[in-house]
Amino acid sequence: MREKRPLSLGDAQVTLDEEKLVLKGKKGELKISLVKEFVDVQLQDNRITVKPIGPSSDAAKLTGTLHANLTNAITGVNQGFEKKLILVGVGYRATLQGKKLNLILGFSQPRNYEIPDGITITTPIPTEIVVWGFDKQLVGQVASDIRKYRPPESYKGKGVRYADERINLKETKKK
């Protein structure tokens, strides 16, 4: 097993103790729990090094996972993450009302989504939603939860879709 390449912290400040690693940056603060029996994490010269302990496959898997999580956390506290959603359909629109996102998606009642802490949602135009945050997993989960209200359907393409998502439309039945 070989160690992963060291991660540069950039502008982030890190605190390492027995159970967790705390990253603080200009965008926020993230805590990552460590699995000390499989992975060795060392901090030196503003770099984090992740090494497996022993030759087991669990150690190798957890080393790769922890390395990816640390990379995402460092990027998140320094720059943040963003996902864009597009509303496609006649009358579909989104508006912000305090800590709630009000979605009109063709149902008889509007859907309200409670915005969690650590997430910022903006609607530059009524048919576009921008989800921003410093935790990559949370940004993706919020975008997925909003998309679940009305996923794109395959005949007309109406619904909530990611900005970079491509929908393959089916052909309608012919007589």
Side-chain angles (χ1 to χ4, degrees):
M1 303 287 150
R2 58 178 244 251
E3 70 181 59
K4 298 287 185 179
R5 67 179 176 78
L7 296 168
S8 176
L9 293 173
D11 295 336
Q13 298 170 351
V14 66
T15 307
L16 179 64
D17 66 13
E18 295 298 317
E19 298 290 320
K20 64 184 176 227
L21 188 118
V22 180
L23 288 161
K24 290 182 185 177
K26 57 186 174 187
K27 301 291 182 184
E29 176 181 327
L30 284 175
K31 296 176 184 165
I32 298 175
S33 58
L34 303 175
V35 185
K36 286 293 197 176
E37 59 266 14
F38 292 111
V39 181
D40 179 36
V41 179
Q42 296 177 354
L43 175 66
Q44 52 189 330
D45 300 332
N46 207 28
R47 288 180 151 341
I48 298 176
T49 307
V50 181
K51 291 187 233 178
I53 296 176
S56 73
S57 65
D58 288 340
K61 292 173 192 174
L62 288 172
T63 300
T65 301
L66 182 62
H67 188 269
N69 288 343
L70 286 172
T71 303
N72 289 337
I74 291 168
T75 304
V77 297
N78 286 328
Q79 299 165 0
F81 294 100
E82 172 181 289
K83 285 223 182 240
K84 286 187 182 180
L85 298 165
I86 309 274
L87 305 178
V88 178
V90 176
Y92 289 16
R93 62 183 180 274
T95 55
L96 283 171
Q97 296 174 341
K99 288 289 283 178
K100 287 186 180 179
L101 179 67
N102 185 4
L103 298 163
I104 299 172
L105 300 172
F107 298 115
S108 62
Q109 299 290 322
R111 303 288 192 241
N112 291 318
Y113 181 76
E114 193 74 35
I115 301 171
D117 293 334
I119 294 292
T120 304
I121 294 182
T122 58
T123 55
I125 57 176
T127 58
E128 185 176 304
I129 302 168
V130 179
V131 180
W132 186 91
F134 52 86
D135 185 354
K136 187 174 187 176
Q137 188 275 330
L138 186 59
V139 169
Q141 185 64 49
V142 167
S144 175
D145 289 346
I146 293 170
R147 185 179 182 273
K148 282 181 189 173
Y149 283 123
R150 177 77 82 166
E153 53 100 2
S154 58
Y155 289 99
K156 291 185 180 178
K158 294 174 16 175
V160 180
R161 67 172 76 164
Y162 297 111
D164 58 353
E165 184 176 13
R166 185 170 173 260
I167 306 295
N168 293 327
L169 298 180
K170 293 181 181 178
E171 196 172 320
T172 58
K173 291 184 181 178
K174 306 237 168 136
K175 288 187 177 184

